[in-house]
Amino acid sequence: MRLSPSVLAADFTRLGEQLEIVKNAGVDAVHYDVMDGDFVPALSFGDTILKNIKNRFGDELFLDAHLMVTEPARFAEAFRKAGADNITIHIEACKHIDRSIEAVKDTGAQVGIALNPGTPLDSISEIIHKVDLVLIMSVNPGFGGQKYIDYCTDKIARLNQWKKDLGLDFSIQVDGGISPQNVRQVLDAGVDNVVAGSAVFKNDIAANCCAFREIMKF
Ligand code: DX5
Ligand code: ZN
């Protein structure tokens, strides 16, 4: 069970300090949202801040890069060099998904495949055996602080059943609108990796992490 706090919601003038708080609260991962203003409407950041996080925390935090960019494989090498342990790319952002997955694998990083809320599970049927992680987006990507889309719970449950039927062991991650108030429902549906931005970084970060930890038992 893993909580992956999304640094998108952090205070960038105090990023190192806030990640220390997260780490001291028992969290072992960071989710890093990259946006290009094309695949999603907003811009966020490139690989430099990730490199700074890697330099400060080394292997103490698993670095999970979520590339919400058009043709993300173009940047796989750069994010791997900056320290990404996992690189997640969107099925909707790649013209040649098999080639893109191979490009991420070639860097030595783990590979994740992300699906927008409206993208059917079937769209990844041919490549599901190749990935380390499937990310079910539970908001439309592009912004933090949005409301969880309820039909995603059933999608997670169907993915979990499919995973069992196939005998695969990829991780199931959920991203968008998750808080201590609704995390139980996604865990029950089969999620083992929870991304949370605003619910971690708003107000008391340590208390927020503890609230997740009590429910998730990480
Ligand atoms: C949305 C991003 C999320 C976002 C989550 O496009 O992929 O990772 O930071 O933020 P919250 O938890 O506030 O919905
Ligand atoms: Zn994300």
Side-chain angles (χ1 to χ4, degrees), residues 4 6 8 31-35 64-68 90 135 137 141-142 173-176 195:
S4 303
S6 167
L8 193 65
H31 183 79
Y32 189 82
D33 286 307
V34 182
M35 304 181 183
D64 172 31
H66 176 196
L67 304 188
M68 287 166 278
H90 271 259
L135 165 51
M137 287 302 304
Q173 186 179 58
V174 67
D175 183 5
V195 177

Side-chain angles (χ1 to χ4, degrees), residues 8 35 39-44 66 68 137 139-144 146:
L8 193 65
M35 304 181 183
F39 179 65
V40 293
L43 285 167
S44 61
H66 176 196
M68 287 166 278
M137 287 302 304
V139 297
N140 289 296
F143 307 97
Q146 301 182 78

Side-chain angles (χ1 to χ4, degrees), residues 82-96:
D85 296 297
N86 178 80
I87 297 175
T88 292
I89 60 178
H90 271 259
I91 183 83
E92 308 88 355
C94 303
K95 278 203 190 93
H96 305 286

